[in-house]
Amino acid sequence: MKKIILYITLPFIGLMIANLYIRKPAYTGMRLSTDIASHMLFDSTLTVPSAIDDELRYYFERHNVEDEGYEMVVAFANGRRHLVEVSSYVPVRNIGTWRDYQREGSALLLDAEGRTIIGTCHADTVETGVRIDSIGTYMGDFSQIKAHGHGAYYRPNGDYAEGHWEDDRQHGFGLELLQPDNGEPHLRVGDWTTGRFMGERMRYTTERIYGIDIARYQHGKGRKVFPIRWDQMRITWLGKKGSRNVSGTADYPVSFLYIKSTEGTTVRNRYYAGDYVQARKHGIRTGAYHFWSVRTTGADQARFFLQNTRFSKGDLPPVLDVEPSDAQIQQMGGIERMFQHIRVWMNMVQRRTGVRPILYINQMFVNKYLSLAPDIKRDYRVWIARYGEYKPDVRLTYWQLCPDGRVAGIHGEVDINVFNGYKSQFEEFLEEETIK
């Protein structure tokens, strides 16, 4: 009987003594509600909130199994979350820090920042476990006592991040769902570098839908004129940066083409009509774009564009190319004034053609100004110029990925674009958005 009492009381005495050796944290760990704790610690499946259904739907509309991380997003959409099982039993010798003792097996400890870690140790190093801090909970692999390897981070508001971690930061491929209190949920899938989201690195394959945009420059400069050989047209080079991610050899058909028609209220592309006829003759889906000017009104520019552009059944939606500098925006009376003129142009062209125009802008414009016009961002498709390895992190129809591509049959450099989706999505786009 005495031995039984001794076995019962010794662990409690040991815990009291061990408590003296554990440094007090700078702040207490986050208190998990019963609901959050039950999801995080005991259940590997969750019901996806309806608020993020639209984000997931958009992702799956634009991706397929060939894209990196597709399976991870599928699992996430089905309610799967990355979880780590921790032992409910921690030996007293593996609680806190003991002189000249190396923890082995399940352990409870604090790191230098006062974060609580419950995990599995080998040779005094945490290999996997759960770490709780003041704003969330990390579950996954560790190196020493830092998040390192595959893991996931949960926050009480529903934010979730999963993927590869190095030195306590997301680094490498992963996904992240952000659910801000005052905004719409946003799903990000792609690469991180030391905690900074870089974007989705697209792999260029023959399954992608590629296109180009041309103006008078593709016909030569000055007195030098180079004809376009339409029967030879193939995309053979995706530019210096884009070619890094080509699977195999770049040799893609031109599935869509945009031709510059007008600029402002006085400039017309003298090659537009001939290029339009040849593109349609060779079975290339064709559209026209207007280059925006800050010197005249949106109404005048819309009339000029409509008077000098052809619109036939099956043509792609018209495009408004907006690329002003900050100084030019001020010249037009400021960004809100310019947006008013842009709305007029879009409305007039939509009434005439029967389809919603597309807005062509660059990444700088997106970052600085597009959020100031939520109706334009919501109601119109976007075509973005962003030259680099990473796909823009916004909803878009086309991505102009480089200005220095090569196309057989065209002299000089050409803008190369990729449709945001695959064949089925492109066919749906042609069915719903082209001129009837």
mmCIF file of all heavy atoms in Angstrom, residues 326-370:
data_model
loop_
_atom_site.group_PDB
_atom_site.id
_atom_site.type_symbol
_atom_site.label_atom_id
_atom_site.label_comp_id
_atom_site.label_asym_id
_atom_site.label_seq_id
_atom_site.Cartn_x
_atom_site.Cartn_y
_atom_site.Cartn_z
ATOM 1 N N ASP A 326 1.432 58.510 -62.812
ATOM 2 C CA ASP A 326 0.793 59.298 -61.757
ATOM 3 C C ASP A 326 0.569 60.741 -62.217
ATOM 4 O O ASP A 326 -0.472 61.338 -61.936
ATOM 5 C CB ASP A 326 1.649 59.282 -60.483
ATOM 6 C CG ASP A 326 1.683 57.908 -59.827
ATOM 7 O OD1 ASP A 326 0.810 57.083 -60.147
ATOM 8 O OD2 ASP A 326 2.579 57.674 -58.995
ATOM 9 N N ALA A 327 1.559 61.289 -62.911
ATOM 10 C CA ALA A 327 1.433 62.671 -63.393
ATOM 11 C C ALA A 327 0.303 62.787 -64.412
ATOM 12 O O ALA A 327 -0.448 63.773 -64.418
ATOM 13 C CB ALA A 327 2.749 63.138 -64.009
ATOM 14 N N GLN A 328 0.150 61.802 -65.275
ATOM 15 C CA GLN A 328 -0.922 61.843 -66.265
ATOM 16 C C GLN A 328 -2.295 61.713 -65.611
ATOM 17 O O GLN A 328 -3.264 62.335 -66.056
ATOM 18 C CB GLN A 328 -0.709 60.730 -67.289
ATOM 19 C CG GLN A 328 0.475 60.970 -68.212
ATOM 20 C CD GLN A 328 0.769 59.777 -69.100
ATOM 21 O OE1 GLN A 328 0.586 58.621 -68.680
ATOM 22 N NE2 GLN A 328 1.218 60.034 -70.318
ATOM 23 N N ILE A 329 -2.372 60.912 -64.557
ATOM 24 C CA ILE A 329 -3.640 60.788 -63.831
ATOM 25 C C ILE A 329 -4.039 62.131 -63.239
ATOM 26 O O ILE A 329 -5.208 62.549 -63.299
ATOM 27 C CB ILE A 329 -3.528 59.712 -62.736
ATOM 28 C CG1 ILE A 329 -3.405 58.329 -63.382
ATOM 29 C CG2 ILE A 329 -4.731 59.755 -61.798
ATOM 30 C CD1 ILE A 329 -3.139 57.211 -62.403
ATOM 31 N N GLN A 330 -3.070 62.819 -62.671
ATOM 32 C CA GLN A 330 -3.363 64.148 -62.120
ATOM 33 C C GLN A 330 -3.760 65.130 -63.215
ATOM 34 O O GLN A 330 -4.588 66.011 -63.017
ATOM 35 C CB GLN A 330 -2.135 64.673 -61.354
ATOM 36 C CG GLN A 330 -1.832 63.893 -60.090
ATOM 37 C CD GLN A 330 -3.026 63.799 -59.157
ATOM 38 O OE1 GLN A 330 -3.689 64.806 -58.863
ATOM 39 N NE2 GLN A 330 -3.314 62.582 -58.696
ATOM 40 N N GLN A 331 -3.186 64.950 -64.395
ATOM 41 C CA GLN A 331 -3.523 65.805 -65.524
ATOM 42 C C GLN A 331 -4.997 65.672 -65.894
ATOM 43 O O GLN A 331 -5.630 66.634 -66.352
ATOM 44 C CB GLN A 331 -2.641 65.435 -66.718
ATOM 45 C CG GLN A 331 -2.886 66.258 -67.974
ATOM 46 C CD GLN A 331 -2.013 65.801 -69.133
ATOM 47 O OE1 GLN A 331 -1.001 65.119 -68.946
ATOM 48 N NE2 GLN A 331 -2.394 66.178 -70.350
ATOM 49 N N MET A 332 -5.571 64.485 -65.658
ATOM 50 C CA MET A 332 -6.975 64.268 -65.977
ATOM 51 C C MET A 332 -7.896 64.658 -64.828
ATOM 52 O O MET A 332 -9.115 64.500 -64.928
ATOM 53 C CB MET A 332 -7.201 62.808 -66.362
ATOM 54 C CG MET A 332 -8.481 62.588 -67.164
ATOM 55 S SD MET A 332 -8.547 60.959 -67.937
ATOM 56 C CE MET A 332 -9.788 61.281 -69.221
ATOM 57 N N GLY A 333 -7.319 65.128 -63.724
ATOM 58 C CA GLY A 333 -8.135 65.571 -62.600
ATOM 59 C C GLY A 333 -8.129 64.642 -61.410
ATOM 60 O O GLY A 333 -8.966 64.764 -60.509
ATOM 61 N N GLY A 334 -7.226 63.650 -61.417
ATOM 62 C CA GLY A 334 -7.150 62.720 -60.305
ATOM 63 C C GLY A 334 -7.751 61.367 -60.660
ATOM 64 O O GLY A 334 -8.429 61.202 -61.675
ATOM 65 N N ILE A 335 -7.495 60.397 -59.804
ATOM 66 C CA ILE A 335 -7.884 59.033 -60.122
ATOM 67 C C ILE A 335 -9.397 58.850 -60.179
ATOM 68 O O ILE A 335 -9.911 58.135 -61.035
ATOM 69 C CB ILE A 335 -7.240 58.043 -59.119
ATOM 70 C CG1 ILE A 335 -7.495 56.588 -59.562
ATOM 71 C CG2 ILE A 335 -7.742 58.286 -57.706
ATOM 72 C CD1 ILE A 335 -6.899 56.230 -60.892
ATOM 73 N N GLU A 336 -10.144 59.485 -59.277
ATOM 74 C CA GLU A 336 -11.596 59.308 -59.296
ATOM 75 C C GLU A 336 -12.196 59.908 -60.559
ATOM 76 O O GLU A 336 -13.115 59.337 -61.157
ATOM 77 C CB GLU A 336 -12.229 59.939 -58.060
ATOM 78 C CG GLU A 336 -13.743 59.780 -57.989
ATOM 79 C CD GLU A 336 -14.205 58.332 -58.180
ATOM 80 O OE1 GLU A 336 -13.596 57.422 -57.595
ATOM 81 O OE2 GLU A 336 -15.169 58.120 -58.952
ATOM 82 N N ARG A 337 -11.675 61.061 -60.977
ATOM 83 C CA ARG A 337 -12.136 61.682 -62.209
ATOM 84 C C ARG A 337 -11.849 60.772 -63.405
ATOM 85 O O ARG A 337 -12.684 60.605 -64.300
ATOM 86 C CB ARG A 337 -11.442 63.030 -62.398
ATOM 87 C CG ARG A 337 -11.863 63.787 -63.645
ATOM 88 C CD ARG A 337 -13.303 64.216 -63.597
ATOM 89 N NE ARG A 337 -13.656 65.067 -64.720
ATOM 90 C CZ ARG A 337 -14.892 65.363 -65.078
ATOM 91 N NH1 ARG A 337 -15.912 64.872 -64.373
ATOM 92 N NH2 ARG A 337 -15.127 66.140 -66.098
ATOM 93 N N MET A 338 -10.665 60.161 -63.411
ATOM 94 C CA MET A 338 -10.329 59.278 -64.509
ATOM 95 C C MET A 338 -11.222 58.040 -64.512
ATOM 96 O O MET A 338 -11.666 57.578 -65.574
ATOM 97 C CB MET A 338 -8.857 58.860 -64.449
ATOM 98 C CG MET A 338 -8.397 58.171 -65.739
ATOM 99 S SD MET A 338 -6.645 57.760 -65.765
ATOM 100 C CE MET A 338 -6.656 56.299 -64.734
ATOM 101 N N PHE A 339 -11.504 57.496 -63.335
ATOM 102 C CA PHE A 339 -12.401 56.342 -63.263
ATOM 103 C C PHE A 339 -13.789 56.688 -63.808
ATOM 104 O O PHE A 339 -14.453 55.840 -64.428
ATOM 105 C CB PHE A 339 -12.508 55.836 -61.832
ATOM 106 C CG PHE A 339 -11.420 54.873 -61.435
ATOM 107 C CD1 PHE A 339 -10.739 55.022 -60.242
ATOM 108 C CD2 PHE A 339 -11.087 53.806 -62.257
ATOM 109 C CE1 PHE A 339 -9.743 54.130 -59.877
ATOM 110 C CE2 PHE A 339 -10.087 52.907 -61.901
ATOM 111 C CZ PHE A 339 -9.413 53.070 -60.700
ATOM 112 N N GLN A 340 -14.232 57.899 -63.590
ATOM 113 C CA GLN A 340 -15.527 58.316 -64.136
ATOM 114 C C GLN A 340 -15.516 58.243 -65.655
ATOM 115 O O GLN A 340 -16.482 57.764 -66.278
ATOM 116 C CB GLN A 340 -15.856 59.731 -63.665
ATOM 117 C CG GLN A 340 -16.147 59.839 -62.178
ATOM 118 C CD GLN A 340 -16.341 61.275 -61.732
ATOM 119 O OE1 GLN A 340 -16.324 62.205 -62.551
ATOM 120 N NE2 GLN A 340 -16.526 61.477 -60.435
ATOM 121 N N HIS A 341 -14.436 58.716 -66.262
ATOM 122 C CA HIS A 341 -14.318 58.656 -67.730
ATOM 123 C C HIS A 341 -14.193 57.209 -68.211
ATOM 124 O O HIS A 341 -14.735 56.853 -69.274
ATOM 125 C CB HIS A 341 -13.118 59.484 -68.195
ATOM 126 C CG HIS A 341 -13.342 60.966 -68.136
ATOM 127 N ND1 HIS A 341 -14.177 61.616 -69.021
ATOM 128 C CD2 HIS A 341 -12.850 61.911 -67.296
ATOM 129 C CE1 HIS A 341 -14.185 62.917 -68.733
ATOM 130 N NE2 HIS A 341 -13.388 63.121 -67.688
ATOM 131 N N ILE A 342 -13.483 56.383 -67.452
ATOM 132 C CA ILE A 342 -13.346 54.970 -67.824
ATOM 133 C C ILE A 342 -14.708 54.277 -67.804
ATOM 134 O O ILE A 342 -15.047 53.501 -68.705
ATOM 135 C CB ILE A 342 -12.354 54.262 -66.874
ATOM 136 C CG1 ILE A 342 -10.929 54.743 -67.164
ATOM 137 C CG2 ILE A 342 -12.455 52.739 -67.017
ATOM 138 C CD1 ILE A 342 -9.884 54.218 -66.196
ATOM 139 N N ARG A 343 -15.519 54.591 -66.786
ATOM 140 C CA ARG A 343 -16.868 54.002 -66.710
ATOM 141 C C ARG A 343 -17.701 54.390 -67.930
ATOM 142 O O ARG A 343 -18.422 53.560 -68.497
ATOM 143 C CB ARG A 343 -17.568 54.471 -65.432
ATOM 144 C CG ARG A 343 -16.990 53.898 -64.151
ATOM 145 C CD ARG A 343 -17.807 54.341 -62.945
ATOM 146 N NE ARG A 343 -17.213 53.891 -61.702
ATOM 147 C CZ ARG A 343 -16.412 54.622 -60.926
ATOM 148 N NH1 ARG A 343 -16.121 55.875 -61.289
ATOM 149 N NH2 ARG A 343 -15.909 54.133 -59.809
ATOM 150 N N VAL A 344 -17.589 55.640 -68.364
ATOM 151 C CA VAL A 344 -18.333 56.096 -69.539
ATOM 152 C C VAL A 344 -17.899 55.302 -70.772
ATOM 153 O O VAL A 344 -18.732 54.830 -71.551
ATOM 154 C CB VAL A 344 -18.130 57.611 -69.756
ATOM 155 C CG1 VAL A 344 -18.698 58.040 -71.108
ATOM 156 C CG2 VAL A 344 -18.793 58.409 -68.630
ATOM 157 N N TRP A 345 -16.579 55.153 -70.951
ATOM 158 C CA TRP A 345 -16.068 54.399 -72.106
ATOM 159 C C TRP A 345 -16.588 52.968 -72.083
ATOM 160 O O TRP A 345 -17.078 52.453 -73.095
ATOM 161 C CB TRP A 345 -14.538 54.402 -72.082
ATOM 162 C CG TRP A 345 -13.880 53.904 -73.345
ATOM 163 C CD1 TRP A 345 -13.375 54.669 -74.351
ATOM 164 C CD2 TRP A 345 -13.652 52.524 -73.719
ATOM 165 N NE1 TRP A 345 -12.850 53.860 -75.345
ATOM 166 C CE2 TRP A 345 -13.009 52.549 -74.977
ATOM 167 C CE3 TRP A 345 -13.939 51.301 -73.138
ATOM 168 C CZ2 TRP A 345 -12.641 51.383 -75.657
ATOM 169 C CZ3 TRP A 345 -13.585 50.130 -73.800
ATOM 170 C CH2 TRP A 345 -12.945 50.169 -75.043
ATOM 171 N N MET A 346 -16.475 52.322 -70.943
ATOM 172 C CA MET A 346 -16.906 50.926 -70.848
ATOM 173 C C MET A 346 -18.395 50.777 -71.125
ATOM 174 O O MET A 346 -18.818 49.842 -71.831
ATOM 175 C CB MET A 346 -16.574 50.384 -69.444
ATOM 176 C CG MET A 346 -15.096 50.466 -69.061
ATOM 177 S SD MET A 346 -14.044 49.336 -69.998
ATOM 178 C CE MET A 346 -13.727 48.062 -68.798
ATOM 179 N N ASN A 347 -19.188 51.669 -70.579
ATOM 180 C CA ASN A 347 -20.642 51.590 -70.772
ATOM 181 C C ASN A 347 -21.025 51.801 -72.234
ATOM 182 O O ASN A 347 -21.879 51.084 -72.785
ATOM 183 C CB ASN A 347 -21.350 52.613 -69.893
ATOM 184 C CG ASN A 347 -21.323 52.225 -68.425
ATOM 185 O OD1 ASN A 347 -21.267 51.046 -68.088
ATOM 186 N ND2 ASN A 347 -21.371 53.205 -67.546
ATOM 187 N N MET A 348 -20.418 52.795 -72.891
ATOM 188 C CA MET A 348 -20.749 53.080 -74.282
ATOM 189 C C MET A 348 -20.352 51.910 -75.196
ATOM 190 O O MET A 348 -21.107 51.513 -76.089
ATOM 191 C CB MET A 348 -20.054 54.366 -74.734
ATOM 192 C CG MET A 348 -20.633 55.625 -74.111
ATOM 193 S SD MET A 348 -19.762 57.145 -74.643
ATOM 194 C CE MET A 348 -20.080 57.128 -76.418
ATOM 195 N N VAL A 349 -19.185 51.350 -74.964
ATOM 196 C CA VAL A 349 -18.716 50.251 -75.802
ATOM 197 C C VAL A 349 -19.545 48.992 -75.548
ATOM 198 O O VAL A 349 -19.865 48.246 -76.486
ATOM 199 C CB VAL A 349 -17.213 50.002 -75.559
ATOM 200 C CG1 VAL A 349 -16.749 48.732 -76.269
ATOM 201 C CG2 VAL A 349 -16.400 51.205 -76.030
ATOM 202 N N GLN A 350 -19.942 48.777 -74.309
ATOM 203 C CA GLN A 350 -20.771 47.605 -74.014
ATOM 204 C C GLN A 350 -22.143 47.712 -74.680
ATOM 205 O O GLN A 350 -22.659 46.729 -75.225
ATOM 206 C CB GLN A 350 -20.935 47.437 -72.498
ATOM 207 C CG GLN A 350 -21.759 46.210 -72.122
ATOM 208 C CD GLN A 350 -21.733 45.920 -70.643
ATOM 209 O OE1 GLN A 350 -20.986 46.517 -69.883
ATOM 210 N NE2 GLN A 350 -22.571 44.982 -70.203
ATOM 211 N N ARG A 351 -22.726 48.904 -74.650
ATOM 212 C CA ARG A 351 -24.031 49.083 -75.296
ATOM 213 C C ARG A 351 -23.945 48.840 -76.802
ATOM 214 O O ARG A 351 -24.854 48.263 -77.412
ATOM 215 C CB ARG A 351 -24.567 50.491 -75.015
ATOM 216 C CG ARG A 351 -25.067 50.692 -73.600
ATOM 217 C CD ARG A 351 -25.940 51.928 -73.498
ATOM 218 N NE ARG A 351 -25.221 53.135 -73.870
ATOM 219 C CZ ARG A 351 -24.575 53.913 -73.008
ATOM 220 N NH1 ARG A 351 -24.544 53.586 -71.709
ATOM 221 N NH2 ARG A 351 -23.947 54.990 -73.412
ATOM 222 N N ARG A 352 -22.855 49.271 -77.414
ATOM 223 C CA ARG A 352 -22.691 49.125 -78.867
ATOM 224 C C ARG A 352 -22.390 47.689 -79.273
ATOM 225 O O ARG A 352 -22.905 47.186 -80.275
ATOM 226 C CB ARG A 352 -21.578 50.071 -79.345
ATOM 227 C CG ARG A 352 -21.068 49.817 -80.742
ATOM 228 C CD ARG A 352 -22.111 50.074 -81.822
ATOM 229 N NE ARG A 352 -21.534 49.934 -83.137
ATOM 230 C CZ ARG A 352 -21.288 48.768 -83.744
ATOM 231 N NH1 ARG A 352 -21.587 47.634 -83.146
ATOM 232 N NH2 ARG A 352 -20.748 48.745 -84.948
ATOM 233 N N THR A 353 -21.559 46.995 -78.532
ATOM 234 C CA THR A 353 -21.102 45.662 -78.939
ATOM 235 C C THR A 353 -21.909 44.536 -78.302
ATOM 236 O O THR A 353 -21.872 43.404 -78.800
ATOM 237 C CB THR A 353 -19.621 45.467 -78.562
ATOM 238 O OG1 THR A 353 -19.479 45.535 -77.129
ATOM 239 C CG2 THR A 353 -18.748 46.534 -79.216
ATOM 240 N N GLY A 354 -22.572 44.814 -77.198
ATOM 241 C CA GLY A 354 -23.349 43.779 -76.519
ATOM 242 C C GLY A 354 -22.548 42.897 -75.591
ATOM 243 O O GLY A 354 -23.081 41.922 -75.045
ATOM 244 N N VAL A 355 -21.267 43.191 -75.381
ATOM 245 C CA VAL A 355 -20.430 42.409 -74.463
ATOM 246 C C VAL A 355 -19.674 43.363 -73.539
ATOM 247 O O VAL A 355 -19.413 44.522 -73.886
ATOM 248 C CB VAL A 355 -19.423 41.511 -75.215
ATOM 249 C CG1 VAL A 355 -20.142 40.457 -76.033
ATOM 250 C CG2 VAL A 355 -18.499 42.346 -76.094
ATOM 251 N N ARG A 356 -19.323 42.843 -72.374
ATOM 252 C CA ARG A 356 -18.558 43.638 -71.424
ATOM 253 C C ARG A 356 -17.118 43.791 -71.898
ATOM 254 O O ARG A 356 -16.446 42.791 -72.157
ATOM 255 C CB ARG A 356 -18.542 42.975 -70.045
ATOM 256 C CG ARG A 356 -19.839 42.995 -69.299
ATOM 257 C CD ARG A 356 -19.673 42.280 -67.964
ATOM 258 N NE ARG A 356 -19.236 40.890 -68.154
ATOM 259 C CZ ARG A 356 -18.753 40.118 -67.180
ATOM 260 N NH1 ARG A 356 -18.621 40.620 -65.962
ATOM 261 N NH2 ARG A 356 -18.407 38.871 -67.423
ATOM 262 N N PRO A 357 -16.609 45.001 -71.992
ATOM 263 C CA PRO A 357 -15.201 45.181 -72.339
ATOM 264 C C PRO A 357 -14.296 44.664 -71.217
ATOM 265 O O PRO A 357 -14.731 44.461 -70.081
ATOM 266 C CB PRO A 357 -15.059 46.703 -72.492
ATOM 267 C CG PRO A 357 -16.447 47.211 -72.670
ATOM 268 C CD PRO A 357 -17.321 46.291 -71.893
ATOM 269 N N ILE A 358 -13.047 44.468 -71.565
ATOM 270 C CA ILE A 358 -12.025 44.036 -70.611
ATOM 271 C C ILE A 358 -11.102 45.211 -70.326
ATOM 272 O O ILE A 358 -10.780 45.996 -71.218
ATOM 273 C CB ILE A 358 -11.230 42.845 -71.180
ATOM 274 C CG1 ILE A 358 -12.154 41.623 -71.307
ATOM 275 C CG2 ILE A 358 -10.016 42.514 -70.320
ATOM 276 C CD1 ILE A 358 -11.511 40.434 -72.004
ATOM 277 N N LEU A 359 -10.679 45.338 -69.076
ATOM 278 C CA LEU A 359 -9.778 46.416 -68.679
ATOM 279 C C LEU A 359 -8.350 45.890 -68.629
ATOM 280 O O LEU A 359 -8.048 44.955 -67.887
ATOM 281 C CB LEU A 359 -10.180 46.964 -67.315
ATOM 282 C CG LEU A 359 -9.344 48.133 -66.774
ATOM 283 C CD1 LEU A 359 -9.521 49.371 -67.657
ATOM 284 C CD2 LEU A 359 -9.724 48.440 -65.333
ATOM 285 N N TYR A 360 -7.462 46.497 -69.429
ATOM 286 C CA TYR A 360 -6.049 46.140 -69.420
ATOM 287 C C TYR A 360 -5.303 47.133 -68.545
ATOM 288 O O TYR A 360 -5.351 48.356 -68.784
ATOM 289 C CB TYR A 360 -5.487 46.174 -70.848
ATOM 290 C CG TYR A 360 -3.990 45.989 -70.950
ATOM 291 C CD1 TYR A 360 -3.443 44.749 -71.282
ATOM 292 C CD2 TYR A 360 -3.116 47.051 -70.732
ATOM 293 C CE1 TYR A 360 -2.067 44.578 -71.395
ATOM 294 C CE2 TYR A 360 -1.738 46.890 -70.826
ATOM 295 C CZ TYR A 360 -1.218 45.662 -71.154
ATOM 296 O OH TYR A 360 0.147 45.497 -71.251
ATOM 297 N N ILE A 361 -4.615 46.635 -67.518
ATOM 298 C CA ILE A 361 -3.861 47.483 -66.599
ATOM 299 C C ILE A 361 -2.581 46.757 -66.202
ATOM 300 O O ILE A 361 -2.433 45.562 -66.458
ATOM 301 C CB ILE A 361 -4.680 47.824 -65.331
ATOM 302 C CG1 ILE A 361 -5.327 46.565 -64.774
ATOM 303 C CG2 ILE A 361 -5.725 48.893 -65.617
ATOM 304 C CD1 ILE A 361 -6.223 46.790 -63.573
ATOM 305 N N ASN A 362 -1.679 47.471 -65.563
ATOM 306 C CA ASN A 362 -0.456 46.824 -65.085
ATOM 307 C C ASN A 362 -0.533 46.590 -63.575
ATOM 308 O O ASN A 362 -1.467 47.031 -62.909
ATOM 309 C CB ASN A 362 0.786 47.634 -65.469
ATOM 310 C CG ASN A 362 0.740 49.059 -64.936
ATOM 311 O OD1 ASN A 362 0.227 49.321 -63.847
ATOM 312 N ND2 ASN A 362 1.281 50.003 -65.697
ATOM 313 N N GLN A 363 0.468 45.897 -63.046
ATOM 314 C CA GLN A 363 0.443 45.532 -61.631
ATOM 315 C C GLN A 363 0.486 46.765 -60.738
ATOM 316 O O GLN A 363 -0.139 46.792 -59.667
ATOM 317 C CB GLN A 363 1.617 44.618 -61.309
ATOM 318 C CG GLN A 363 1.577 44.026 -59.914
ATOM 319 C CD GLN A 363 0.444 43.037 -59.723
ATOM 320 O OE1 GLN A 363 0.323 42.086 -60.483
ATOM 321 N NE2 GLN A 363 -0.378 43.228 -58.713
ATOM 322 N N MET A 364 1.215 47.794 -61.134
ATOM 323 C CA MET A 364 1.274 49.018 -60.345
ATOM 324 C C MET A 364 -0.105 49.641 -60.200
ATOM 325 O O MET A 364 -0.501 50.088 -59.118
ATOM 326 C CB MET A 364 2.252 50.015 -60.988
ATOM 327 C CG MET A 364 2.400 51.339 -60.233
ATOM 328 S SD MET A 364 1.093 52.569 -60.572
ATOM 329 C CE MET A 364 1.396 52.931 -62.298
ATOM 330 N N PHE A 365 -0.853 49.658 -61.288
ATOM 331 C CA PHE A 365 -2.201 50.237 -61.254
ATOM 332 C C PHE A 365 -3.100 49.424 -60.329
ATOM 333 O O PHE A 365 -3.905 49.976 -59.581
ATOM 334 C CB PHE A 365 -2.773 50.273 -62.666
ATOM 335 C CG PHE A 365 -4.010 51.117 -62.811
ATOM 336 C CD1 PHE A 365 -3.918 52.453 -63.184
ATOM 337 C CD2 PHE A 365 -5.269 50.584 -62.566
ATOM 338 C CE1 PHE A 365 -5.068 53.237 -63.320
ATOM 339 C CE2 PHE A 365 -6.415 51.345 -62.695
ATOM 340 C CZ PHE A 365 -6.318 52.683 -63.069
ATOM 341 N N VAL A 366 -2.957 48.104 -60.376
ATOM 342 C CA VAL A 366 -3.733 47.247 -59.477
ATOM 343 C C VAL A 366 -3.410 47.576 -58.023
ATOM 344 O O VAL A 366 -4.301 47.756 -57.186
ATOM 345 C CB VAL A 366 -3.448 45.758 -59.755
ATOM 346 C CG1 VAL A 366 -4.083 44.874 -58.681
ATOM 347 C CG2 VAL A 366 -3.978 45.374 -61.123
ATOM 348 N N ASN A 367 -2.134 47.644 -57.711
ATOM 349 C CA ASN A 367 -1.712 47.867 -56.332
ATOM 350 C C ASN A 367 -2.150 49.221 -55.797
ATOM 351 O O ASN A 367 -2.551 49.342 -54.630
ATOM 352 C CB ASN A 367 -0.189 47.755 -56.225
ATOM 353 C CG ASN A 367 0.313 46.365 -56.554
ATOM 354 O OD1 ASN A 367 -0.449 45.404 -56.542
ATOM 355 N ND2 ASN A 367 1.591 46.257 -56.849
ATOM 356 N N LYS A 368 -2.095 50.251 -56.636
ATOM 357 C CA LYS A 368 -2.335 51.609 -56.150
ATOM 358 C C LYS A 368 -3.761 52.089 -56.323
ATOM 359 O O LYS A 368 -4.262 52.865 -55.491
ATOM 360 C CB LYS A 368 -1.385 52.593 -56.860
ATOM 361 C CG LYS A 368 0.075 52.395 -56.542
ATOM 362 C CD LYS A 368 0.937 53.444 -57.205
ATOM 363 C CE LYS A 368 0.719 54.825 -56.627
ATOM 364 N NZ LYS A 368 1.685 55.804 -57.160
ATOM 365 N N TYR A 369 -4.456 51.660 -57.370
ATOM 366 C CA TYR A 369 -5.695 52.347 -57.719
ATOM 367 C C TYR A 369 -6.946 51.466 -57.854
ATOM 368 O O TYR A 369 -8.052 51.937 -57.624
ATOM 369 C CB TYR A 369 -5.501 53.102 -59.041
ATOM 370 C CG TYR A 369 -4.421 54.155 -58.995
ATOM 371 C CD1 TYR A 369 -3.334 54.104 -59.863
ATOM 372 C CD2 TYR A 369 -4.487 55.200 -58.077
ATOM 373 C CE1 TYR A 369 -2.343 55.082 -59.831
ATOM 374 C CE2 TYR A 369 -3.493 56.176 -58.027
ATOM 375 C CZ TYR A 369 -2.422 56.108 -58.906
ATOM 376 O OH TYR A 369 -1.455 57.062 -58.854
ATOM 377 N N LEU A 370 -6.788 50.199 -58.251
ATOM 378 C CA LEU A 370 -7.980 49.424 -58.606
ATOM 379 C C LEU A 370 -8.942 49.265 -57.437
ATOM 380 O O LEU A 370 -10.165 49.255 -57.632
ATOM 381 C CB LEU A 370 -7.574 48.044 -59.137
ATOM 382 C CG LEU A 370 -8.704 47.224 -59.765
ATOM 383 C CD1 LEU A 370 -9.348 47.984 -60.926
ATOM 384 C CD2 LEU A 370 -8.204 45.866 -60.236
#
